[in-house]
Amino acid sequence: PITVFITNSVYSPNPLTVKAGQFVNFKNNDAILHSATFDNGMYESGDIPPFSAHDVPVGMTATGTFAFHCRMHGEKGSIVVTP
């Protein structure tokens, strides 16, 4: 999977561009909990513990732009899915 890193409460890369069918995972490089919660409800990482990766990557099957945020702190990111 392609990894979105959470460092200093910032998602990177942001936006992330992937092709339809690719998988995206989230890795927390901070000392506090974070999450990746899609605004449209299609994916919820749950709590991502400090210094660890979420263990269930999300498959990006539909094209479009998908916004997400951290439930705890409100930082925002997006994934652009191309054909």
Side-chain angles (χ1 to χ4, degrees):
I2 298 164
T3 302
V4 174
F5 297 94
I6 310 165
T7 306
N8 297 321
S9 294
V10 173
Y11 294 108
S12 179
N14 183 23
L16 170 68
T17 301
V18 299
K19 292 191 179 293
Q22 290 186 294
F23 286 81
V24 176
N25 200 20
F26 295 86
K27 182 169 188 310
N28 182 1
N29 290 331
D30 287 344
I32 58 176
L33 285 174
H34 286 294
S35 78
T37 303
F38 278 45
D39 295 358
N40 67 4
M42 76 176 232
Y43 177 78
E44 164 59 54
S45 68
D47 294 348
I48 305 172
F51 308 111
S52 66
H54 182 57
D55 55 1
V56 181
V58 57
M60 304 304 298
T61 56
T63 59
T65 299
F66 300 89
F68 58 89
H69 62 278
C70 176
R71 279 184 289 98
M72 282 74 93
H73 311 107
E75 57 265 21
K76 297 179 184 293
S78 64
I79 300 172
V80 178
V81 183
T82 61

